[in-house]
């Protein structure tokens, strides 16, 4: 490959989880620091970063179709970099299958993008899927540099990786072992985000509630200690965190839900299945009863908490009776919103070679029944909120003139009309409920610090 002109514009396309969105933002900031500018909407970018997800099959297949779609009529392509978890898991295969891909970079190595870019511009194809001991975070430009603004809601990755090894999951292989970022770095990044305009911060981690560190005085703290410290930032109005593992749901964190007003009443606590036999085969190391006991304690600390979870249907060996236990669990909890998936065998994971793989049509049918139950409960939760007065952080303009969109404390999408601006907090009365959003009446604008 001959030398190629250095790219001037970039586009980062992130798939999958919120941690990928965070990584995508940080890659964009890194490229901006290198002098590249974001390609305008509708324009082709000189450099396209596909920030991929490997959690389920469809997500990986999407990458190849996206690469194909970037091809121009004359057969050439912009400079393509594949980042994220597919890059980590299938880097070599991508290089072999997709000649137009010039760079493959894993989720722990993207701070090296500038150097890779120089090599790619010199005509080489480069792969970096190292999981170096030194963290990428130290090598990235700080958030909110110069006059760079962020939106009212921002993500902050506090923890990465997973040591739990659920038998269906690729995360321990693609993201590596559990690592907590240091307290001081997180406080610094939170300050920068707030200074750049963030009013709500969502703390992210594959096992965010496994975060552990030392506070400014050298005391060992958990996620609740970090949240407490962040709650002291006057201009920060709201704190959320996701995703949690039941086994790391410490008493201090549960208590924090009743004690810290800025910690929003929402908990995403995946359970995956409602049968103890399936949970054991999944290596979840909790039971249905221990999971429900955690929810009871959380509800005791914060009675209005909105609960969310993840479910997998059709795990190898799942019987109809075991699936019925999942439906019974859903009925027992009354979730506010959930994610649910068909089991997808991931190469290299123990479950992929287990006996009793379930036929696709059985999985389809189970997923439909589960989603019908979850949708019913979501609508019921939204309807039960009607008449409530609550605060909404305005995130963007709605489709209609004068309409605004934001989130309730319970993470419901809320739209309303009236005088407001992005980044403002308003008090509204929830007036009409649909399955996916609520309509509200503006009561008043709330002053923020
Ligand atoms: N197949 C289907 N769903 C999966 N998840 C993780 N791995 C798989 C898989 N192999 C789901 C789990 C997890 C969420 C992020 O994705 O529900 O909580
Ligand atoms: Fe995957 Fe289980 Fe770790 Fe979640 S806890 S990332 S599902 S291995």
């Amino acid at each position: 490959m001959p030398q190629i002109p250095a790219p001037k514009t970039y586009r980062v396309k992130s798939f999958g989880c919120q941690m990928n969105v965070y990584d995508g933002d940080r890659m964009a900031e890194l490229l901006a620091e290198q002098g590249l500018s974001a390609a305008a909407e509708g324009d082709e970018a000189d450099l396209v970063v596909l920030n991929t997800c490997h959690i389920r099959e469809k997500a990986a297949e999407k990458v190849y179709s996206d690469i194909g779609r970037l091809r121009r009529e004359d057969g050439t392509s912009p400079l393509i970099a594949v980042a994220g978890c597919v890059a980590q898991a299938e880097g070599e295969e991508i290089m072999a299958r997709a000649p137009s891909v010039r760079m493959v970079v894993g989720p722990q190595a993207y701070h090296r993008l500038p150097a890779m870019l120089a090599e790619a511009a010199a005509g080489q194809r480069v792969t970096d899927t190292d999981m170096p001991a030194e963290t990428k975070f130290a090598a990235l430009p700080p958030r909110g540099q110069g006059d760079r603004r962020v939106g009212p809601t921002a993500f902050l990755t506090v923890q990465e990786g997973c040591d739990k090894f659920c038998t269906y999951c690729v995360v321990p292989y693609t993201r590596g072992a559990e690592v907590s970022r240091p307290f001081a770095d997180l406080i610094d990044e939170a300050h920068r985000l707030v200074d750049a305009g963030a009013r709500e911060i969502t703390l992210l981690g594959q096992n965010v509630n496994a975060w552990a560190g030392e506070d400014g005085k050298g005391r060992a703290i958990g996620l609740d200690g970090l949240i407490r410290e962040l709650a002291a930032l006057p201009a920060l109005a709201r704190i959320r965190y996701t995703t949690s593992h039941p086994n790391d749901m410490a008493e201090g964190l549960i208590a924090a839900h009743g004690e810290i007003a800025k910690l929003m009443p929402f908990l995403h606590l995946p359970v995956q299945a409602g049968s103890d036999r399936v949970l054991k085969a999944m290596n979840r190391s909790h039971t249905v009863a221990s999971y429900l006991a955690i929810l009871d304690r959380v509800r005791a600390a914060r009675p209005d908490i909105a609960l969310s979870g993840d479910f997998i249907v059709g795990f190898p060996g799942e019987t109809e009776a075991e699936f019925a236990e999942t439906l019974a669990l859903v009925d027992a909890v009354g979730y506010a919103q959930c994610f649910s998936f068909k089991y997808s065998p991931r190469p290299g994971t123990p479950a992929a070679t287990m006996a009793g793989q379930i036929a696709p049509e059985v999985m389809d049918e189970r997923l439909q029944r589960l989603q019908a139950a979850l949708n019913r409960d979501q609508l019921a939760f939204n309807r039960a909120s009607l008449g409530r007065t609550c605060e909404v952080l305005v995130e963007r303009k709605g489709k209609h003139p004068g309409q605004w969109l934001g989130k309730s404390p319970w993470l419901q999408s809320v739209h309303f009309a009236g005088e407001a601006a992005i980044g403002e907090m308003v008090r509204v009365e929830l007036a009409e409920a649909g399955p996916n959003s609520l309509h509200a009446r503006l009561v008043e604008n709330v002053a923020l610090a």
Side-chain angles (χ1 to χ4, degrees):
M1 171 104 180
Q3 262 184 262
I4 49 168
K8 292 195 179 66
T9 59
Y10 70 87
R11 174 167 295 122
V12 180
K13 252 186 103 173
S14 288
F15 305 90
C17 67
Q18 290 157 322
M19 299 195 55
N20 256 17
V21 175
Y22 175 88
D23 288 342
D25 286 350
R26 304 240 35 194
M27 282 188 252
E29 289 163 1
L30 186 59
L31 294 170
E33 205 199 31
Q34 298 298 306
L36 281 79
S37 49
E41 187 96 18
D43 283 1
E44 189 191 81
D46 300 335
L47 166 67
V48 178
V49 181
L50 299 174
N51 189 22
T52 61
C53 169
H54 200 241
I55 199 95
R56 286 170 294 277
E57 213 151 16
K58 278 219 183 94
E61 277 313 310
K62 236 174 122 65
V63 182
Y64 289 103
S65 65
D66 257 56
I67 293 169
R69 215 169 306 128
L70 287 170
R71 196 174 308 126
R72 304 177 183 117
E73 273 177 16
D74 65 359
T76 61
S77 294
L79 192 59
I80 302 175
V82 177
C85 291
V86 181
Q88 189 68 36
E90 297 180 21
E92 275 173 37
E93 202 182 320
I94 296 168
M95 279 298 194
R97 229 174 107 173
S100 56
V101 173
R102 310 304 304 174
M103 288 180 277
V104 164
V105 60
Q108 307 303 354
Y110 63 78
H111 55 296
R112 298 186 185 148
L113 260 178
M116 296 175 73
L117 207 51
E119 288 175 52
Q124 292 171 43
R125 299 180 79 198
V126 255
T127 300
D128 191 340
T129 49
D130 280 2
M131 294 210 182
E134 97 275 7
T135 129
K136 67 193 170 217
F137 296 107
L140 292 168
R143 315 298 311 270
Q145 287 255 79
D147 55 3
R148 235 187 132 89
R149 305 292 293 166
V150 302
T153 63
F155 291 137
L156 172 51
T157 293
V158 304
Q159 179 279 342
E160 282 196 288
C162 184
D163 297 339
K164 306 284 191 294
F165 289 94
C166 298
T167 51
Y168 50 80
C169 186
V170 283
V171 165
Y173 313 96
T174 56
R175 290 266 172 176
E178 278 177 17
V179 177
S180 294
R181 292 181 65 194
F183 174 80
D185 294 5
L186 297 173
I187 298 296
D188 179 60
E189 193 167 324
H191 269 282
R192 288 173 187 276
L193 288 170
V194 169
D195 288 348
R199 292 293 165 264
E200 172 180 303
I201 291 183
T202 302
L203 307 176
L204 298 180
Q206 260 95 29
N207 277 295
V208 71
N209 58 340
W211 183 87
E214 277 182 7
D215 70 6
K217 299 194 175 86
R219 288 175 301 211
I221 54 167
L223 189 68
D224 56 311
L226 178 63
I227 291 171
R228 223 171 275 280
E229 201 78 26
L230 293 175
L233 288 179
L236 184 62
R238 292 175 156 191
I239 302 167
R240 302 181 186 275
Y241 62 95
T242 198
T243 285
S244 296
H245 191 285
N247 285 12
D248 293 315
M249 209 60 217
E251 286 307 319
L253 184 57
I254 294 175
H257 275 282
E259 293 164 3
I260 304 174
K262 289 183 182 180
L263 179 58
M264 291 294 101
F266 187 93
L267 176 64
H268 182 238
L269 195 66
V271 62
Q272 313 298 355
S275 141
D276 284 341
R277 193 207 60 83
V278 173
L279 289 174
K280 195 151 195 277
M282 287 177 161
N283 192 30
R284 286 293 292 177
S285 62
H286 60 79
T287 61
V288 172
S290 68
Y291 175 81
L292 290 174
I294 296 167
L295 297 191
D296 281 347
R297 293 206 297 281
V298 177
R299 276 184 161 141
R302 181 78 205 223
D304 69 335
I305 194 123
L307 296 169
S308 163
D310 292 347
F311 288 92
I312 297 176
V313 301
F315 185 79
E318 184 188 67
T319 64
E320 175 57 32
E322 286 165 345
F323 173 66
E325 290 185 79
T326 297
L327 294 177
L329 171 65
V330 167
D331 285 348
V333 174
Y335 287 99
Q337 50 171 277
C338 277
F339 300 98
S340 50
F341 313 100
K342 285 184 272 188
Y343 168 70
S344 166
R346 306 285 63 218
T349 59
T353 50
M354 280 181 187
Q357 302 285 324
I358 305 291
E361 53 284 6
V362 174
M363 284 207 248
D364 281 336
E365 195 266 339
R366 286 183 188 167
L367 187 67
Q368 271 181 31
R369 278 194 283 159
L370 175 60
Q371 291 188 339
L374 293 171
N375 291 343
R376 172 202 69 201
D377 289 354
Q378 187 168 325
L379 183 60
F381 183 86
N382 288 346
R383 286 200 175 133
S385 332
L386 294 182
R388 264 178 177 172
T389 299
C390 69
E391 290 186 349
V392 165
L393 178 59
V394 183
E395 292 178 24
R396 54 196 167 90
K397 284 187 173 161
K399 267 193 247 127
H400 308 293
Q403 193 189 45
W404 301 94
L405 294 179
K407 297 274 181 351
S408 76
W410 307 281
L411 206 66
Q412 297 150 300
S413 291
V414 175
H415 48 91
F416 66 93
E419 281 297 307
I422 292 170
E424 261 182 24
M425 192 73 87
V426 295
R427 198 181 314 282
V428 301
E429 188 190 332
L430 301 174
E432 285 167 41
N436 298 315
S437 65
L438 290 123
H439 172 69
R441 269 188 294 276
L442 178 61
V443 177
E444 61 180 344
N445 299 59
V446 182
L448 283 175

